Amino acid sequence: MQTVKMVVTGPFSAGKTEFIKSVSEIDVVSTERKISTKAEKTVKEATTVAMDFGRITVDEDLVLYLFGTPGQKRFDFMWEILSEGMLGFIVLVDSTRPETFREARSILETFRAYAPTPYVVAANKQDMNDAWELEDMRHALRLDPKVKFLSCVAMDRDSVKTILLELLYSILAEMESGEK
Amino acid sequence: MALRGNLRDFTITQLLNLINLARKTGTLVVEGPNETAQAFFREGKLAFAQIGREDTSLAHILFKANKLSAGQYKAIQQRGNSVSDKELGLLLINAGYVSQDDILANLQQYSTDVIHRLFTWVEGFFRFDNDQLPPDDRINVRLDLENLIIEGSRQLREWEQLQDEIPSLDMALKFTARPDANMRNVNLNVEEWRVVSYINPKNTIRQIGNAAKMNDLEIRRIVYGLLQAGLVEICRPEGVPIPQPVRVFPTEDKEEQKTLVNRLITRIRSL
Ligand SMILES: Nc1nc2c(ncn2[C@@H]2O[C@H](COP(=O)(O)OP(=O)(O)O)[C@@H](O)[C@H]2O)c(=O)[nH]1
Ligand SMILES: [Mg+2]
């Protein structure tokens, strides 16, 4: 059995668990534990402290694993470990919470520094009224025009599929350009 | 829509950066604890700014700048609102009291001062209103935002935030390809110029810091300002061997790898 993996990262409460849930064929394995910090509690009642883990079986001998990174800063020692051997990564950003954009940028730059792996950035929660527009977010996140930046609703399977596909197209394009 | 938030999370400098890069037209409204500020933009340039109910009439601004005497100012005031700023400006120029440059320079200074005061606001709700255009009766200036952004970034002292903005000093910098990113019109200080002189995809930020004899905090702060102003971007250093990720694919064969990615694509499409 062959396995490959992708990493889904982004700030706390960006929608990583939801994203992986939408396409995983197994229940997303994640240890939910009540976090006591007040600030975090107001955002979400329970938060994931272990990483999320989802699976998509491709055929008899190929499986894709999706790993979600723990969002909080104090778990960032896990990022480098998780990023080892990944095919590519997805950075999820909560479009309704500009206070997390700086952290999202930081996470992106940190991952970019590990390895030149293909990635896409997804503006999540675009279904919400107070979501920022993509164009504004692109500047706020300081994304180069060449970076794929896509609209996302993590609960919507089609939306998640599109993002995974765009990442795979980027991976393929890079393999092809590397051969020249 | 929904370009709104709190200054605690998204600073004035970052907002100016966004307005600059997106070349926005409209009004930035900031509701601070005591006052409300408004800054009007046209295609990413500052047209006019004001805080609270301050008298922003041309006559008052020129009077404050000692371009009009108290007597002249009083005489104009007695006219009430019958003369618009544009008309007044023309009258004053024609009468030889002030030059057009005087008027523009003082209006620019006024708006610049307002933005400088805004930089000190740490708390307040902001929103950007696309539909509210710069006021017609005012003389609008066209102030490039790059300098304001650099000035605002210089005030950022917080170590943790700088660490967030530039997590790795082992990346390099290059000048942005943006056609209007023009270094010549930007007022850099000596330290900033020193850093700029070393910018090259071959040099890591750490190397630039060492060469310019700056500590991590100093180099981060300067690079942050240049990034914010859209003059440079972070890139992978050239000539440094790319760290080979540990085993991404279960096979070494390039064709098999491609087939594998195509299998993934087919599977995801079928979900
Ligand atoms: N409306 C909306 N809510 C979302 C979306 N994605 C996630 N959420 C909600 O946002 C909260 C945080 O999501 P979660 O997946 O736990 O975030 P994580 O911390 O990144 O794993 C949960 O209440 C989700 O149901 C989305 O696209 N739209
Ligand atoms: Mg989670």
Side-chain angles (χ1 to χ4, degrees):
Chain A
M1 174 67 72
Q2 299 182 324
T3 64
V4 286
K5 76 165 172 186
M6 288 181 184
V7 170
V8 181
T9 185
F12 174 72
S13 199
K16 300 178 288 295
T17 304
E18 207 72 58
F19 183 96
I20 296 174
K21 257 194 217 162
S22 288
V23 284
S24 176
E25 63 205 16
I26 53 168
D27 281 347
V28 171
V29 187
S30 62
T31 320
E32 297 280 341
R33 236 186 71 191
K34 295 254 177 189
I35 294 273
S36 49
T37 321
K38 269 224 177 79
E40 285 169 353
K41 215 169 178 176
T42 57
V43 181
K44 235 176 41 163
E45 270 309 307
T47 184
T48 324
V49 292
M51 62 217 188
D52 302 315
F53 177 64
R55 189 183 73 196
I56 298 171
T57 303
V58 177
D59 47 40
E60 304 83 85
D61 47 29
L62 180 61
V63 172
L64 169 66
Y65 287 117
L66 295 174
F67 288 91
T69 59
Q72 294 109 310
K73 258 250 132 86
R74 57 206 163 92
F75 301 122
D76 64 4
F77 63 91
M78 279 301 298
W79 296 354
E80 190 157 8
I81 300 174
L82 279 176
S83 72
E84 272 183 13
M86 64 185 170
L87 210 55
F89 63 96
I90 295 151
V91 185
L92 282 187
V93 190
D94 184 338
S95 311
T96 68
R97 295 181 58 221
E99 64 268 35
T100 65
F101 292 174
R102 173 157 57 98
E103 195 189 341
R105 241 181 3 232
S106 183
I107 292 172
L108 174 60
E109 287 303 339
T110 306
F111 269 83
R112 248 169 40 110
Y114 292 145
T117 314
Y119 62 91
V120 296
V121 184
N124 194 31
K125 309 196 188 179
Q126 280 290 321
D127 56 320
M128 290 175 73
N129 272 337
D130 49 349
W132 279 39
E133 274 177 18
L134 257 71
E135 155 90 345
D136 290 338
M137 285 181 73
R138 185 182 271 281
H139 293 302
L141 295 168
R142 227 188 279 128
L143 299 177
D144 189 279
K146 291 187 289 277
V147 174
K148 275 191 190 167
F149 183 50
L150 308 153
S151 165
C152 179
V153 177
M155 278 97 74
D156 173 15
R157 175 180 267 209
D158 281 332
S159 169
V160 173
K161 272 170 62 176
T162 304
I163 284 158
L164 291 174
L165 284 170
E166 285 299 335
L167 178 56
L168 285 164
Y169 298 151
S170 290
I171 293 167
L172 205 56
E174 188 170 283
M175 297 171 91
E176 269 155 13
S177 76
E179 282 173 4
K180 277 179 211 142
Chain B
M1 181 60 230
L3 182 53
R4 51 177 72 230
N6 193 306
L7 289 185
R8 258 177 310 161
D9 314 312
F10 208 82
T11 63
I12 292 289
T13 321
Q14 288 172 328
L15 282 166
L16 293 182
N17 181 41
L18 178 56
I19 291 164
N20 180 40
L21 293 176
R23 295 164 188 257
K24 283 189 171 294
T25 298
T27 304
L28 175 67
V29 182
V30 187
E31 286 166 22
N34 307 310
E35 292 165 308
T36 297
Q38 284 181 305
F40 304 91
F41 298 88
R42 209 179 273 283
E43 288 168 1
K45 308 235 188 285
L46 181 63
F48 184 67
Q50 68 183 67
I51 291 182
R53 295 177 175 282
E54 260 164 41
D55 184 352
T56 57
S57 65
L58 178 64
H60 189 249
I61 289 173
L62 290 176
F63 169 56
K64 282 284 172 192
N66 292 322
K67 293 288 167 190
L68 289 180
S69 69
Q72 291 165 331
Y73 176 50
K74 209 163 161 211
I76 295 167
Q77 266 192 314
Q78 278 161 359
R79 291 277 176 152
N81 291 330
S82 60
V83 182
S84 77
D85 273 3
K86 282 179 183 164
E87 288 168 329
L88 178 65
L90 272 178
L91 288 173
L92 291 173
I93 293 169
N94 289 339
Y97 286 110
V98 290
S99 68
Q100 180 167 337
D101 288 348
D102 269 341
I103 291 182
L104 287 180
N106 280 294
L107 288 175
Q108 285 197 359
Q109 193 55 51
Y110 184 83
S111 290
T112 305
D113 288 346
V114 167
I115 301 290
H116 283 159
R117 280 155 64 199
L118 268 181
F119 281 148
T120 65
W121 293 19
V122 284
E123 179 81 28
F125 287 100
F126 66 78
R127 62 171 192 274
F128 193 89
D129 195 340
N130 288 317
D131 302 325
Q132 197 183 338
L133 296 180
D136 249 352
D137 54 338
R138 294 262 182 271
I139 300 173
N140 290 332
V141 295
R142 279 174 57 82
L143 205 60
D144 284 332
L145 296 184
E146 275 95 352
N147 281 316
L148 285 167
I149 292 167
I150 296 240
E151 284 163 24
S153 305
R154 281 183 195 134
Q155 297 175 11
L156 183 73
R157 290 281 180 281
E158 207 192 320
W159 167 245
E160 205 184 322
Q161 186 172 347
L162 284 168
Q163 185 111 4
D164 267 0
E165 296 287 352
I166 302 155
S168 169
L169 293 181
D170 295 319
M171 297 294 267
L173 297 170
K174 64 174 187 204
F175 293 108
T176 44
R178 220 155 49 84
D180 57 343
N182 190 344
M183 294 298 294
R184 252 168 308 173
N185 297 333
V186 178
N187 302 321
L188 300 179
N189 64 27
V190 178
E191 258 100 53
E192 287 156 351
W193 271 120
R194 192 133 36 107
V195 169
V196 164
S197 71
Y198 289 114
I199 288 177
N200 183 320
K202 291 194 176 73
N203 299 332
T204 64
I205 300 173
R206 192 186 306 284
Q207 288 167 334
I208 297 175
N210 289 342
K213 300 199 171 43
M214 288 174 189
N215 65 31
D216 286 4
L217 176 66
E218 291 163 336
I219 186 69
R220 273 196 168 89
R221 182 159 57 235
I222 290 178
V223 170
Y224 173 67
L226 299 172
L227 279 172
Q228 280 284 86
L231 298 172
V232 302
E233 58 193 66
I234 294 179
C235 64
R236 187 163 288 284
E238 272 176 17
V240 175
I242 293 172
Q244 273 313 312
V246 277
R247 207 184 62 94
V248 172
F249 288 102
T251 159
E252 293 293 315
D253 184 284
K254 291 277 178 231
E255 280 312 309
E256 276 179 48
Q257 291 181 355
K258 263 201 258 173
T259 312
L260 187 148
V261 174
N262 277 316
R263 275 154 73 199
L264 286 166
I265 290 174
T266 310
R267 175 70 182 104
I268 302 240
R269 278 194 189 134
S270 75
L271 279 177

